[in-house]
């Protein structure tokens, strides 16, 4: 049966969700203030650089905060960043008790906020709905603990597993409702990544094409392009003046092409090759994390997807399955490469869910990953 702490922590998590896609590189945080068991104020972190959830809740409470209890899904910070620390403000407001969902994995905080509150005489309870709190901020947790962003592999396939016909045609496998959801996923992600095959076949824009009233943002656009086939006339390069187009290529890539892309506004980063001749994918993901990217939506083809999975860089798959049969031994799939020699060697998935999206079914599942399992599941 749900207890009082869990009830208010659930509300804090609901409030935190309002910041999805808006708070990076910060986590999503919600705060609830109660007095005598009744909620008297709420707040959430709306955008990076703006006041944190605790401050917004304290402002809403006004002079009623003294002697109250605050529920917050993440440990209040105790260090100066783009905004002042929250833990001192919570104590100064006279909050008597703070109930925390999870400690902050950021080494700059990591228990220091809780310690500050305790030393200030504030009763502190930690670990209420901890798994739910970890799950909400799984991307932030992963970056803090591994230096790598949380990667979701997105694909749209027919019932027989094809992403395009043998001639490369893929418009449209998924239904309109699924395509709209993908644009919502783009708006929530910090970056969208594709490979050279997708650049060549589709000339993608990788922007969020929802109505302005529903749009969160356009994500950073990342291309894994070993030979620099990306043209300055491509949609990615033509958008590059906004500073959000990044091209990862191999060391020694044609200097004239790299310079032309840089003049167009692209950030071109040369990386050593991995075993498959791609720019080192792990280094590419580390570079993205260094740019403040917590989450990546991978919209690659079968080759890039296979390389990312084999490198252990994919955390979740989101596959839209359309009620269609395309056939063709040479038709494209979303996971190519050499494959595994035995079924027993296959990639294991967990926490699978299925949701109808228009005429399609969206299957989402987590990729078995020791680091991720320890930190967020």
């Amino acid at each position: 049966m749900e207890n009082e702490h869990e009830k208010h922590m659930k509300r804090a998590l609901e409030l935190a969700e309002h910041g999805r896609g808006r708070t990076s590189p910060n986590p999503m945080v919600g705060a609830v203030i109660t007095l005598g068991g009744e909620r008297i104020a709420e707040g959430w972190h709306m955008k990076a650089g703006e006041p944190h959830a605790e401050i917004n809740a304290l402002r809403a409470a006004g002079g009623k905060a003294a002697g109250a209890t605050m529920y917050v899904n993440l440990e209040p910070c105790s260090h100066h960043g783009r905004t002042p620390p929250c833990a001192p403000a919570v104590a100064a407001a006279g909050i008597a008790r703070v109930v925390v969902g999870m400690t902050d994995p950021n080494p700059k905080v990591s228990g220091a906020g809780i310690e500050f509150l305790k030393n200030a005489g504030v009763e502190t309870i930690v670990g209420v709905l901890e798994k739910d709190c970890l799950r909400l901020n799984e991307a932030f947790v992963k970056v803090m603990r591994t230096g790598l962003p949380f990667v979701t592999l997105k694909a749209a396939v027919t019932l027989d597993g094809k992403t395009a016909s043998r001639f490369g045609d893929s418009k449209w496998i998924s239904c309109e409702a699924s395509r709209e959801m993908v644009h919502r996923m783009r708006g929530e992600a910090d970056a969208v990544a594709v490979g050279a095959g997708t650049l060549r076949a589709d000339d993608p824009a990788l922007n969020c094409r929802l109505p302005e009233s529903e749009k969160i943002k356009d994500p950073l656009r990342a291309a894994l392009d070993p030979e620099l086939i990306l043209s300055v006339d491509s949609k990615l390069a033509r958008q590059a003046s906004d500073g959000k187009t990044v091209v990862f290529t191999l060391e020694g890539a044609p200097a004239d092409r790299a310079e032309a892309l840089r003049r167009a506004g692209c950030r071109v980063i040369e990386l050593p090759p991995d075993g498959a001749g791609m720019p080192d994918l792990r280094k590419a993901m580390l570079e993205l994390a260094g740019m403040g990217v917590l989450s990546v939506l991978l919209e690659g083809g079968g080759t890039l997807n296979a390389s990312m999975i084999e490198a252990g860089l994919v955390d979740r798959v989101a596959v839209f399955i359309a009620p269609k049969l395309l056939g063709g031994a040479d038709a494209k799939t979303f996971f190519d490469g050499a494959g595994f020699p035995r079924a027993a060697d296959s990639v294991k998935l967990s926490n699978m869910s299925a949701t109808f999206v228009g005429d399609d079914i969206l299957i989402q599942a987590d990729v078995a990953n020791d680091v991720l399992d320890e930190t967020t599941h």
Side-chain angles (χ1 to χ4, degrees):
M1 184 174 176
E2 181 180 84
N3 62 34
E4 189 79 1
H5 290 339
E6 290 174 347
K7 179 178 73 172
H8 296 308
M9 188 60 71
K10 282 184 178 179
R11 179 56 183 162
L13 287 166
E14 290 173 359
L15 293 166
E17 269 286 354
H18 292 318
R20 186 173 293 279
R22 296 176 170 88
T23 62
S24 289
N26 295 343
M28 294 173 279
V29 183
V32 172
I33 298 177
T34 68
L35 191 61
E38 299 296 321
R39 292 175 195 159
I40 62 170
E42 299 178 336
W44 66 91
H45 184 36
M46 298 179 181
K47 187 178 180 181
E50 295 187 2
H52 290 183
E54 300 93 320
I55 304 304
N56 286 329
L58 288 172
R59 288 175 178 172
K64 299 178 183 178
T69 296
M70 175 179 283
Y71 293 83
V72 60
N73 58 291
L74 186 72
E75 172 186 3
C77 62
S78 59
H79 71 290
H80 282 269
R82 293 168 66 179
T83 58
C86 294
V90 171
I95 291 288
R97 179 171 59 184
V98 176
V99 181
V100 177
M102 60 174 280
T103 56
D104 194 326
N106 184 344
K108 292 180 181 178
V109 182
S110 196
I114 292 168
E115 190 66 22
F116 181 95
L117 291 171
K118 288 180 177 178
N119 290 338
V122 180
E123 180 188 353
T124 308
I125 299 170
V126 183
V128 175
L129 297 183
E130 184 176 25
K131 287 187 177 180
D132 295 328
C133 295
L134 283 162
R135 185 80 173 185
L136 174 77
N137 277 309
E138 59 196 352
F140 178 75
V141 172
K142 189 182 180 193
V143 169
M144 286 296 126
R145 294 186 176 172
T146 71
L148 294 165
F150 189 97
V151 178
T152 299
L153 188 163
K154 186 277 297 180
V157 304
T158 57
L159 191 56
D160 54 339
K162 310 299 184 181
T163 59
S165 74
R166 67 183 187 277
F167 301 110
D169 179 67
S170 61
K171 293 185 172 51
W172 292 104
I173 282 176
S174 57
C175 69
E176 185 176 349
S178 292
R179 298 196 298 277
E180 180 179 329
M181 181 172 283
V182 168
H183 284 288
R184 195 167 304 281
M185 292 167 71
R186 286 181 181 179
E188 293 176 352
D190 296 329
V192 178
V194 297
T198 301
L199 296 177
R200 186 182 291 111
D202 299 337
D203 185 23
L206 303 184
N207 55 0
C208 175
R209 295 192 285 278
L210 293 175
E212 284 300 319
S213 60
E214 301 177 29
K215 183 174 179 176
I216 298 174
K217 66 178 184 307
D218 281 321
L220 183 146
R221 304 169 293 273
L224 284 300
D225 186 4
E227 299 176 4
L228 280 188
I229 66 166
L230 186 68
S231 164
V232 292
D233 296 320
S234 66
K235 292 175 183 175
L236 290 189
R238 292 204 304 269
Q239 298 176 84
S241 61
D242 66 1
K244 298 177 74 170
T245 298
V246 180
V247 183
F248 295 104
T249 191
L250 289 171
E251 292 175 343
D256 56 337
R257 297 182 194 173
E259 182 57 29
L261 289 171
R262 289 188 177 107
R263 284 198 302 269
C266 299
R267 182 173 179 179
V268 180
I269 299 175
E270 297 186 21
L271 297 173
D274 62 12
M278 289 287 291
D280 189 300
L281 295 173
R282 185 179 181 85
K283 284 187 168 61
M285 294 301 108
L286 288 169
E287 288 278 352
L288 288 177
M291 299 175 198
V293 169
L294 302 183
S295 59
V296 176
L297 185 64
L298 179 63
E299 297 193 30
T303 300
L304 176 59
N305 290 344
S307 296
M308 287 284 289
I309 290 174
E310 289 164 4
L313 296 170
V314 173
D315 302 294
R316 179 166 299 139
V317 295
V319 183
F320 293 87
I321 302 175
K324 301 173 183 177
L325 299 173
L326 192 55
D330 297 326
K332 298 179 181 297
T333 66
F334 78 89
F335 183 21
D336 294 337
F340 297 98
R342 302 179 306 156
D345 300 324
S346 60
V347 176
K348 307 299 188 297
L349 304 177
S350 61
N351 298 318
M352 189 172 75
S353 66
T355 309
F356 277 103
V357 182
D359 295 331
D360 302 337
I361 296 176
L362 171 60
I363 300 290
Q364 296 189 82
D366 297 335
V367 178
N369 179 305
D370 289 342
V371 173
L372 191 60
D373 289 342
E374 291 173 6
T375 58
T376 62
H377 299 154

